[in-house]
Structure formats: structure tokens, C-alpha cells
Amino acid sequence: MTAAGKIPEKIRKEIEQLVRDLNYHCYRYYVLDAPVISDAEYDREYRRLRDLEEKYDYVLPESPTLRVGAPPLEKFEKVTHTEAMLSLDNAFSYDEVREFDKRVKRLLGSDADMEYTVEPKYDGLAIELTYRDGLLYRASTRGDGYVGEDVTRNVRTIRAVPLKIEGPGRVPLEIDIRGEVYMDLDEFEKLNRQRETKGEPLFANPRNAAAGSVRQLDPAATASRKLFLACYGIGTISGLKLKSQAELISWLSEARFPTPARMKIAKGIDAVIDVVKEIEESRDGFTFETDGAVIKVNDFTVQQKLGVKTREPRWAIAYKFQAHQGTTKIREIRGSVGRTGVITPYAVFEPVRIGGVTVSRSTLHNWDEIERKDIRVGDTVVVERAGDVIPHVIGVVREKRTGRETFFPVPEKCPACGSRVIREEGEVAVRCVSLHCPAQVQEKIIHFASRGGMDIEGLGEKNVELLYSRGLIKHFEDIYRLKKEDLIGLPRFAEKSARNLIGAVVRSKHTTLAKFLFAIGILHVGEYAAKLLAKNFRSLQDLYHISAEKITNIKQMGEKIASSVAAFFNDDKNLQTLEAVMKLGLDIKNPDFAHGPDEALPLQGLTFVITGTLPKPRKEAEETIEKNGGHPSSALSAKTDFLIVGEEPGSKLQKARTLGVRTISYQEFLKLIEERSGHPRLF
Ligand code: IVH
């Protein structure tokens, strides 16, 4: 796998140090949420590592560079869990919790107060992480408890998952760590908002979003979702003795695994119920969705004595919190216009308190949903705070209908600008296509300035609204024409705040092509698609007048995005706007650019590594790769598309199998070029 013997000692040490440092910073950032270096410093170290790895063909198995870029799979392999992954029995009242405690004591024949641990129940996807000799070997889903799916390459992209266990103390030879992969609530909301503007189906809750993100055949899709992990259990373990749940949790956190927030030990069932109440009371403040608390007998020996009944352990129970629901009346249904012109209906309620929060409106998603649920203005509806934050209309209380309820028809005109709306064949979304729609323009400016775009701090929704209403920004390029004097005197702006905003605007001029492409808000182009474009096109100008066909040649780029990008860059007005923005002093670099711009070549965008002796000199084979638009590399990583295997292959062959890189013979390689020549679409 490595050529460690051949590289200078100094370089080997530097690589090892960089891997250690970067993994530590990853842990500080993603697990502790307390970074000690800036993102820019991290990126610098990461690039240094990647360059050295490539140059010296030395990649440690726990290198952070192995987290990204594995090629898509055709299907998931099945994994049989060494020990079944059990589910939990539920308790819906404190009485049922007390009964659980009585049962435990009865089974043990003891009257003494039991020691339990109490943890929040994470609403996500149960995962098993298998480590061998300290290295992440496999990640699998729970499946039916006995057989799950191999999702290693996806779970690797989750930064909170350690790739290597380095202590404390002796590292177990083999350990199966169990936990829940979940998505934070605001990330879930953000994802759904993005999907909504793209007209994609929404995830019903963060659990579905997490599960959908892990069960992706393309690891790059998983990598684009921000997922987290909480580890709360073990399966098989060898080479390490742990005595209790509390000891496990503290071992896990010392070994840099994220563990459940606020795990507590409680002796006696009254103390347990107090902790459960504490968790329930603070659950609205959690960043993640929790629908209950898990109570476990602390001592592992006692757990073993109690055993399992069919599929649930007798030593644990999940107390389910009350659903956050309430009933209220719909006063009005309105439509709101997003950046891409999609009109989303929402209900305005008579304000109602649900789970400590006042709810006065909720999205109704789209008109199909309104029709399906038969929601009318004046209806009394059951509202649930799904994901504990976003209110959701569960359904109509039909018995409360008076006959005076009214339908809310699909609008024919945009509620913001009055232009005619369109509804494309087969699409649920209703869209305003006016270029002058003020709602869209404002949303576009907000998007332009947002974190993933030009990242202009201080130019959020409120200030965009203000500057737009004062006529200071009519289009996003006007941001770069703002002067300090324009701002001073406006509400919320004094000398210092005006200076800060102008400073942020000036700083934002130095950006990357990927961020800029995302910022300008091309329909369907999210951060991921923008990055793909940047990888494949050297500069913005290379995209001018591009054809949809050329874009579809990019691996992973769908036709919908391609035609939208082509439409954008073939519109002269758009190009004039871009030129105008560039003249205002933008400095766009493209560190993502990876390949030559000629998409027509058969191996365009593909990376090849060679191992063993080929029928032709290696140099010649490399030239063939290059001539056909491919990229020959000496460093095998998850990003490699093909390993060409000659006679007497080296350790790269094994590594390719571990990483899931496709292997082909030299003959197959030549056939590949032949097959792809003349094919406009590469995948
Ligand atoms: S312990 C045998 N602890 O809940 C014990 N599970 O309904 C197995 N879950 O499959 C799990 N948070 O996916 C445990 N703190 C926690 C949990 C937790 C969420 C999930 C897990 C399990 C399901 C059972």
C-alpha cells in the first residue's frame, strides 16, 4: 500500500504528523465543537498533506484525505452483525418506567436501588462501526438487526467518525461500536429548504434525512450532507475490558468518539425519572431531534444476567416524550416566493403554544399536499412540531367544519409581483418566472451574500430588505457599489457597523469559482454542483456559451442541472451582468480545477493508477491516459477511478479493493478508451 521505505524519513514523519494533527483538529471541530485553528489553516495543512501523499505515494489508512471521493456503488453489500443489533422496548408514562424498574429487580431477586444511566434518544439511523487493530474497517446499518448494509464509504465521509482509535490505554483488537447517525435540526431545515427550491421531495423528519443521506450509493452525495454521530453502545469487543455503560461512554469520549449529550448516572428509579424530566425539559434547546430518553442498567454483568427477550434487552427501556402537538385554526393561506421563483403555500394560524413555543404559521409545502390533506381556510387543524422545530399540519379535524371553509386555489399570479405563474408538466412546484419579481430579487441577493456564496457577514435577510427598500441594492452587483456614506444613518447603521459591512463586502471580492457559481444562484446549482463545475472548468469565461451536452459529460452531473447551467450561460443579459460584476474588482481563483477543459476526450475527468508490469512501458501507458484526457497518478486513493493491473501487481491491488476502486487489465483499459470514443456522455 505504501512506499514508506523509499521516502525520506523527514517526509514520512511530516506526513504522519500532518495526519495526526488534522485528525485532532477534525475532532476539535466536529466532536467538541471547539476548533483551535482557523478553517484556512486547516485547509492549508490538508493541501500540504494531499500534495505530499501524492508525490511520495504514501497514504496512511487513517488519512483525512481518504474521507472523500470514493466512486459510486451499484448496490450495498450485506453485512451480518456478529452480535444482533437490538431494538428497545418503549415506556409511554412514568408508571411504565417504574414497572420496568420493578421487573428488573424481580428478575434479579433484589430490592436494592438499581444504578441506571439515562441518555437522550437520538432520532437517526443506527450504525455499527467495526474497528480492527484500531482502524475503521467497516460501517454497517442496523438493517433487520441481524443483517445490515455495508455503508463504509459513506460513513467515512462523516467527519465525527474517527478513522483510527489511538487510545486511551490499549487499543482493542476488534470492537464494534454502535451509535446513531443523525442530522442536526437546522441542517435538516436547510436541506429541506434547498430541496423545496429545487422542487425535490422533502424529508419528513431529520431521521429520514439522515437515513436517506447514509443510504446513498454515491459517497459524494453523503459527503455533501452534514451528518453527526452519537455513540452509545458496543457489540463484539476483544482486547479491552469495560465494566459498565458509564465506563463505556467515558472510554468512547476519551477515544474521541462523540457520545450522547448529558448522559447521567442515576441510582433508584426516582432519580432516573428526575433525569428523564430534565432531558425532556431541555430538549427544545438541543441541536438535534430527540423523541425520548433511554434508560439502561449501568453494570454490564447485571445487563448480562437480565438478558434479552426476543429482540429487546430486558435491561433497557426507551421513555417516549409527549409529541409536540396542538390544534388551531387556519386564518389564511398565503404563498411565498423563493429565490428561484417557486411559490410555496403556507398557513397562517391563530397562534397556539406547542411544546413551549408559539406557532403561528407553517409551510404547506405545495398544492398537491394541500389537496391530499384537503386543507381549507378556516379549518381546524392538528399541528405538530415535526423535528421539534418546524411546524407541520398533520391533518384536518373534520368534525369542526362549519361549511364556511374556503378552498385556496393554485394561484395564477405571483403574490409578490402579480406576473403570471407557470407549472411545468410533472412538477409540483408553481413558479413565477418574472425577472423583475422583487421577492425573487431579494432572495437572490440574500443567497448571493450567504455563507456558502460570497460570505458577506452582516448582509442577511434584514439588511438586504432594508437596502433593497431604500433602492441601494437592486441587483446583486450593486453590493459592490455600496459606499460607507450610503449606509450611515440607516436604521441599525452607525459609523462602525457601516465600516464593518463595507469591509466584509471588500473581503468577499476574493473568492473561488465554486463559491461564485453557487452565489449567482443558477437554478438547480447547489454547492455541490458548483464545485463540480469548478473542478471541470478553469474559469468563469470557459462557461460562457457552453452547451448542455458538454456539461452532461461531467461525471455525476445530471441533465436537469446541465440544461439549467447552459441556459444561464447562453443568456446575453446574464453574461453582461457577470462582466459588470467582474469589472467591480472581483478576484476569482479556482483551486478546485482538476482536469483539462476538453470534455470531449474519452477519459476526461478520470484518474488512473498503475500497478505491476504492463505490456507497454509505464511511461507510454501514462501518455495514453493523458492523450485521452485522463489523469495518471501514482497515488492510489478513494478518488482514483481505475487501477490498471499488470503482471505481479503490488500492494496497491489490495488497497484498491479496500477502497472500492475499480480494477482493470491493460486490455480492458484500451477497450475502455475505444468504448468511450464517440460517446458524448461518459457515464
Ligand atoms: S441503545 C439494546 N441508546 O433507538 C440497546 N439506542 O428504538 C440498543 N437509539 O435501535 C440501543 N439513541 O437506533 C440506545 N442513546 C441511545 C439511543 C438509541 C437512539 C436508537 C437505536 C435503537 C433504537 C431503538
Side-chain angles (χ1 to χ4, degrees):
M1 159 164 73
T2 61
K6 287 187 227 137
I7 69 169
E9 176 73 1
K10 208 171 129 230
I11 300 290
R12 187 178 60 77
K13 283 212 164 122
E14 184 179 352
I15 290 181
E16 288 168 3
Q17 189 63 41
L18 280 167
V19 168
R20 254 196 312 276
D21 285 356
L22 286 164
N23 281 342
Y24 175 69
H25 292 308
C26 213
Y27 161 69
R28 296 283 318 193
Y29 190 95
Y30 290 99
V31 180
L32 300 184
D33 197 13
V36 281
I37 61 169
S38 69
D39 291 2
E41 272 173 279
Y42 183 91
D43 292 343
R44 208 169 31 244
E45 282 195 28
Y46 184 92
R47 278 199 298 275
R48 168 87 183 143
L49 172 65
R50 202 188 48 200
D51 293 347
L52 288 178
E53 287 180 343
E54 183 125 343
K55 187 159 172 207
Y56 293 96
D57 191 11
Y58 181 53
V59 184
L60 293 174
E62 72 273 26
S63 168
T65 61
L66 291 178
R67 285 198 189 268
V68 285
L73 283 175
E74 306 250 307
K75 67 176 179 55
F76 295 115
E77 296 298 324
K78 296 265 178 273
V79 173
T80 305
H81 300 295
T82 321
E83 257 178 55
M85 290 179 78
L86 303 170
S87 58
L88 289 169
D89 199 3
N90 290 321
F92 294 97
S93 66
Y94 295 138
D95 280 348
E96 286 178 24
V97 173
R98 288 181 194 283
E99 271 169 37
F100 159 75
D101 176 57
K102 278 195 195 129
R103 208 161 48 234
V104 165
K105 285 181 181 158
R106 200 179 53 239
L107 287 165
L108 294 170
S110 152
D111 247 358
D113 273 352
M114 285 296 305
E115 196 170 80
Y116 294 101
T117 57
V118 188
E119 307 157 9
K121 185 168 190 294
Y122 286 73
D123 209 7
L125 177 74
I127 287 282
E128 178 167 83
L129 304 170
T130 302
Y131 288 82
R132 289 191 179 161
D133 289 327
L135 287 173
L136 176 65
Y137 167 74
R138 191 169 57 204
S140 48
T141 60
R142 175 173 178 272
D144 63 4
Y146 304 102
V147 180
E149 287 173 325
D150 186 332
V151 287
T152 315
R153 296 197 289 165
N154 295 350
V155 170
R156 246 179 202 287
T157 68
I158 304 172
R159 301 297 199 275
V161 173
L163 298 177
K164 187 179 185 184
I165 305 177
E166 309 207 40
R170 265 188 48 212
V171 174
L173 290 173
E174 175 149 352
I175 183 167
D176 288 336
I177 294 171
R178 276 131 187 222
E180 200 86 352
V181 171
Y182 65 94
M183 188 179 280
D184 264 347
L185 288 163
D186 45 0
E187 193 57 32
F188 162 69
E189 269 188 78
K190 202 171 115 197
L191 178 64
N192 261 355
R193 271 204 306 275
Q194 283 168 358
R195 293 175 74 87
E196 197 155 4
T197 36
K198 289 189 199 160
E200 292 172 354
L202 302 187
F203 287 114
N205 49 46
R207 175 170 20 96
N208 290 4
S213 304
V214 171
R215 297 193 66 258
Q216 288 277 350
L217 289 170
D218 181 4
T222 310
S224 71
R225 309 263 171 86
K226 272 199 196 126
L227 295 168
F228 286 95
L229 173 78
C231 296
Y232 48 66
I234 38 170
T236 307
I237 175 168
S238 63
L240 179 74
K241 275 253 164 310
L242 292 167
K243 289 204 279 295
S244 65
Q245 176 69 10
E247 208 175 281
L248 167 68
I249 299 294
S250 69
W251 181 82
L252 283 171
S253 49
E254 278 183 69
R256 299 189 184 168
F257 285 86
T259 51
R262 300 177 188 232
M263 191 277 292
K264 278 204 175 151
I265 304 177
K267 206 170 162 90
I269 205 64
D270 291 330
V272 166
I273 289 171
D274 284 347
V275 180
V276 171
K277 280 184 187 155
E278 241 173 66
I279 297 179
E280 179 155 22
E281 273 158 24
S282 43
R283 77 161 156 151
D284 289 344
F286 290 169
T287 56
F288 54 88
E289 163 79 332
T290 167
D291 59 347
V294 184
I295 303 159
K296 301 174 185 172
V297 168
N298 189 25
D299 192 310
F300 283 165
T301 324
V302 182
Q303 283 188 5
Q304 248 177 354
K305 260 192 219 153
L306 289 162
V308 172
K309 77 170 178 228
T310 44
R311 320 214 33 194
E312 292 143 4
R314 290 198 186 87
W315 45 263
I317 198 157
Y319 171 76
K320 287 297 193 77
F321 297 146
Q322 298 298 314
H324 281 162
Q325 279 195 352
T327 47
T328 184
K329 212 167 172 171
I330 298 185
R331 279 183 180 163
E332 221 186 314
I333 295 180
R334 296 185 197 156
S336 79
V337 190
R339 170 173 64 88
T340 56
V342 173
I343 301 169
T344 307
Y346 65 95
V348 181
F349 306 127
E350 281 174 6
V352 58
R353 298 273 299 170
I354 304 175
V357 173
T358 304
V359 172
S360 53
R361 57 179 59 193
S362 131
T363 174
L364 297 172
H365 304 296
N366 55 57
W367 273 270
D368 280 5
E369 175 106 346
I370 297 183
E371 212 178 288
R372 197 168 54 76
K373 292 186 176 157
D374 187 21
I375 298 170
R376 305 178 196 175
V377 178
D379 264 338
T380 299
V381 285
V382 178
V383 180
E384 186 173 280
R385 290 209 295 117
D388 279 356
V389 168
I390 310 165
H392 218 55
V393 173
I394 297 287
V396 174
V397 187
R398 278 163 213 271
E399 303 77 65
K400 293 261 172 100
R401 282 216 168 132
T402 61
R404 287 194 298 275
E405 294 75 19
T406 53
F407 290 102
F408 185 67
V410 178
E412 285 176 4
K413 287 186 175 160
C414 169
C417 71
S419 315
R420 275 178 56 83
V421 302
I422 58 154
R423 191 174 194 178
E424 279 163 28
E425 273 287 310
E427 290 239 338
V428 286
V430 177
R431 239 178 245 283
C432 165
V433 286
S434 164
L435 279 176
H436 309 288
C437 175
Q440 286 179 62
V441 174
Q442 281 187 48
E443 290 295 328
K444 279 196 170 92
I445 298 169
I446 294 166
H447 174 82
F448 183 79
S450 71
R451 180 83 71 82
M454 303 306 279
D455 196 9
I456 306 175
E457 208 185 324
L459 203 53
E461 203 175 318
K462 283 231 169 73
N463 281 341
V464 168
E465 233 174 79
L466 173 72
L467 298 176
Y468 186 86
S469 69
R470 301 290 169 115
L472 287 165
I473 313 179
K474 294 202 189 69
H475 199 271
F476 57 67
E477 74 253 31
D478 295 333
I479 294 173
Y480 294 105
R481 297 198 177 96
L482 280 177
K483 288 189 289 295
K484 199 174 75 180
E485 300 76 62
D486 297 334
L487 302 174
I488 295 175
L490 291 178
R492 295 191 295 276
F493 280 101
E495 169 76 27
K496 188 166 168 229
S497 42
R499 202 172 51 227
N500 285 347
L501 181 55
I502 299 296
V505 168
V506 171
R507 275 196 304 281
S508 79
K509 288 184 174 179
H510 304 279
T511 189
T512 64
L513 184 59
K515 284 188 152 240
F516 185 74
L517 287 173
F518 172 72
I520 55 180
I522 307 167
L523 184 63
H524 304 309
V525 176
E527 284 177 85
Y528 180 68
K531 194 109 182 178
L532 267 183
L533 287 170
K535 273 187 181 156
N536 287 274
F537 292 90
R538 192 183 300 275
S539 70
L540 187 67
Q541 286 72 20
D542 285 357
L543 280 155
Y544 288 8
H545 303 294
I546 192 80
S547 70
E549 201 187 16
K550 272 205 166 173
I551 299 170
T552 26
N553 282 347
I554 301 173
K555 197 166 104 181
Q556 294 161 7
M557 194 66 101
E559 274 166 28
K560 203 162 146 187
I561 303 180
S563 65
S564 159
V565 172
F568 184 93
F569 285 103
N570 280 283
D571 178 319
D572 285 337
K573 248 187 153 167
N574 284 345
L575 300 186
Q576 277 163 23
T577 306
L578 294 181
E579 283 302 297
V581 189
M582 298 305 290
K583 282 217 181 77
L584 292 164
L586 252 63
D587 164 30
I588 303 179
K589 300 232 163 24
N590 189 5
D592 298 300
F593 181 67
H595 314 296
D598 188 359
E599 259 72 41
L601 293 171
L603 302 182
Q604 188 63 46
L606 299 177
T607 303
F608 293 82
V609 174
I610 301 171
T611 184
T613 316
L614 302 184
K616 289 272 156 68
R618 195 173 274 223
K619 190 118 202 297
E620 202 175 302
E622 282 176 356
E623 275 167 17
T624 311
I625 297 171
E626 267 176 341
K627 254 201 324 240
N628 285 287
H631 175 64
S633 165
S634 56
L636 182 74
S637 77
K639 276 185 255 170
T640 311
D641 293 286
F642 291 95
L643 177 70
I644 307 175
V645 185
E647 301 226 331
E648 291 180 43
S651 59
K652 283 194 177 120
L653 181 58
Q654 185 50 42
K655 187 180 174 193
R657 290 195 178 130
T658 317
L659 291 172
V661 172
R662 282 169 286 188
T663 56
I664 48 172
S665 68
Y666 188 68
Q667 291 310 320
E668 286 170 322
F669 162 71
L670 295 178
K671 229 164 87 200
L672 186 75
I673 300 176
E674 207 176 305
E675 275 169 15
R676 282 164 184 261
S677 310
H679 283 258
R681 220 184 127 75
L682 292 175
F683 276 93

